[in-house]
Amino acid sequence: MELNDANLQTLTEFLRKTLDPDPTVRRPAEKFLESVEGNQNYPLLLLTLLEKSQDNVIRVCAAVTFKNYIKRNWRIVEEEPNKISNPDRTAIKANIVNLMLSSPEQIQKQLSDAISIIGREDFPQKWPDLLTEMVTRFRSGDFHIINGVLRTAHSLFKRYRHEFKSNELWSEIKLVLDTFALPLTELFKATIELCQTHATDINALKVLFSSLTLISKLFYSLNFQDLPEFFEDNMETWMTNFHGLLTLDNKLLQTDDEEEAGLLELLKSQICDNAALYAQKYDEEFQPYLPRFVTAIWNLLVSTGQEVKYDLLVSNAIQFLASVCERPHYKHLFEDQNTLTSICEKVIVPNMEFRSADEEAFEDNPEEYIRRDLEGSDIDTRRRAACDLVRGLCKFFEGPVTAIFSGYVSSMLAEYAKNPQGNWKHKDAAIYLVTSLASKAQTQKHGITQANELVNLTDFFVNHILPDLKSQNVNEFPVLKADAIKYVMIFRSQLPKEQLLQAIPLLITHLQAESTVQHTYTAHALERLFTMKGPNNTTLVTPAEMAPFTEQLLNNLFKALALPGSAENEYIMKAIMRSFSLLQEAIVPYIPTLIAQLTHKLLLVSKNPSKPHFNHYLFESLCLSVRITCKANPSTVSSFEEALFPVFTEILQNDVQEFLPYLFQVMSLLLELYSGSVPYMALFPHLLQPVLWERTGNIPPLVRLLQAYLEKGSATIASSATDKIPGLLGVFQKLIASKANDHQGFYLLGSIIEHMPPESITQYRKQIFILLFQRLQSSKTTKFIKSFLVFINLYCVKYGAIALHEIFDSIQPKMFGMVLEKIVIPEVQKVSGTVEKKICAVGITKILTECPAMMDTEYTKLWAPLLQALIGLFELPEDDSIPDDEHFIDIEDTPGYQTAFSQLAFAGKKERDPIGDAVGNPRILLAQSLHKLSTACPGRVPSMLSTSLNAEALQFLQGYLQAANVQLV
């Protein structure tokens, strides 16, 4: 694509169409952009547009498109084509920093993200001048530019907060510190001075404070891994200024907005984070500064209001206290009973109250409320921070803290009892306090695993939780109902089983509650209860115990999906999946209705898939319906096809990318359950289209689906679709060339060899082996060798040892001996997996005993070492060593956003044993085969054994012969 006006014009038109709400206009435009993004100059055209277009909407759209293009294509993946030409890469890196710094803020943010994506791949090796180019801009004095640099540096360095320690990371951080730490410190000091100079100029202060917040974030990232020498030497500068900013109160920076945090709050929250980091990780060095930070942060907490805009600040400030109070050598700061009482009274209790803002979120923004309350999202709430502080204090002061709070809990519950209608928030706070007091350790899987002995959970459940669950009107006091449901869920491992069984039917009625939070919590609680383990690895709640409620449970779950706001509620869908899994054949009578509802839902969500978890559980539920019903009655497969195929066809026709990997898995499951002639052969050719195999996420489920076709329909393919065999082998060739997917290629090849009639693939056999040898020469990895060994032994089992010998030697004379000597004998110990080992054992036994060339040619010298290797495979531990240089090869890291392969647990594939019952014990087979060989050429076998086999191996072999009741002659 040339950089000319015509192309700029075309691109502008298509970008405008991608913003069109009408999918018939938008989709083709998106497809067009996707089709041209591989062309040289495409990214440069986008950059030209975002710089020079007269239309602001187009500029922003070009910036977003450019960032997403970089996200998808910048990473170079081994063995995949480089998606951005080298001249384009160079031109982008040469211009992007300048462009970012001179763009308006909306575009600056997108380009800043793009720089950090490029930096993650190229910095420092392939982009050494990035930092110096950025640091020189600090001297410009223009804070629009300086903030652009700081924002970019922040997105570049924030990964240091969660990277694993490694030499590479250390050297990169060292390079950053050498270039960046001093200029950053100078900028910090200069900015603080400017704040004093411009103390009365609100516009200047806004810019300067956003710089200070970014500088504080950078401080956090650069200090996260370890305490750098530079910052230790300059701790006085940083900490004194941080402390000064914490206590600063500039009236001009106070905002009227009650919701949105102002610049002052954002800066102080980040400083609390920085202080907590130092208090936790570098407490010795930080000790001289700690008392004044504790005082400043305490004053901040006592003087800050209840408005939402202070939430982040308050929760970070409380988190600071929480991190300090659980360190043994700060214990003395909290020992005094008065200190504990005032922390409880002034910090913890006020921040546990349910505010009107929380009530609004509960009613009007339930998704966000659930994300914060249930999933513990990154947005720290005041309540969570207060709860962490209670936990921290209980570490050393469990008795006094429990005593102080028990008083509060009793008085709150008494207030509620006086006037439930007016004082229900008191009970909510009491439940929250009990929860935070009682929970010492918690896991996703079991809820609370360790509880405070001083709190009686069962009594509290009976007296205060059960009455709310039993209330006749499920829609009254929804917040308290949600609290009660959550209580059952988090203390499920602590409450006795009879109380849980008492709660289940009550929970089922709460699925009908109008409040989204309430019915979502109910679904989540039921799902968690159904996964609890009872004695002997069964579920705690049995299908028999659920029998009286089965129909109501299924009805209410599906009705809940129809409630406003819950059409794609992932918690409800997960509860449906878990109920199917628990109830097993008890759901069979309801299947026709259930499947109709699930497929209807699938059709709706496929129009615009937006909730990945919901969709995943929906497909899991479909798989369970198929599995459970077909287990009870195998002939029902065809009725599932009638129900599912119209929807599947539509999804395939519309190329709903997110759903294809799921579709292929459900279809594999149906095919694998099939007996009789294979249906939907018409689909088979479409599965070989190269475009499907371009998407990494499709590969595992597509291979499985092709394997199912080969297993069930090989005769049909051989007779009426022979023209498709080259396409099938083309897929194998593509997969075998990739280090990440070669094992999938071998799965496919194994099924071809195992199921296709031999004559249908005779003409291709030699070519298959040539491809494998080419790959062995170009890149030999442990994973490839293991798969290669299993394959050649499978070939030997299927076609015989003579055929294997002949095909090797037809490619190159003496090749058979080379493969045995260089690959089979030294590497077979690496093969893992019961079925894989069995295939190799039977194959090698055949080579030893059914291949004349092994007895009478130059290959004879390999006979004993091969037998020794086979006995090693039987008796020695598996060799799982991997050469250093290929430690990371198997890890498929897909660039950017692609629907990665999401495996469905309930579509699980049984492991296939191609040898099956024909060979029970391969050791016995070896003994019998050696006996047979020795009768054919008497005397040869014992003499080969006594001269070449080591004593230990010989002893094992004697054992096999005895077990098989045979002797060698």
Side-chain angles (χ1 to χ4, degrees), residues 826-874:
E827 305 282 5
V828 75
Q829 206 57 44
K830 289 199 163 84
V831 173
S832 53
T834 327
V835 173
E836 288 82 352
K837 285 183 166 179
K838 184 175 174 183
I839 292 170
C840 288
V842 176
I844 293 173
T845 300
K846 282 182 172 296
I847 295 172
L848 286 167
T849 60
E850 293 175 16
C851 179
M854 288 299 286
M855 298 300 281
D856 300 316
T857 62
E858 72 272 34
Y859 293 155
T860 311
K861 64 178 188 298
L862 299 171
W863 191 88
L866 184 61
L867 177 60
Q868 176 104 22
L870 174 56
I871 296 172
L873 178 68
F874 286 144

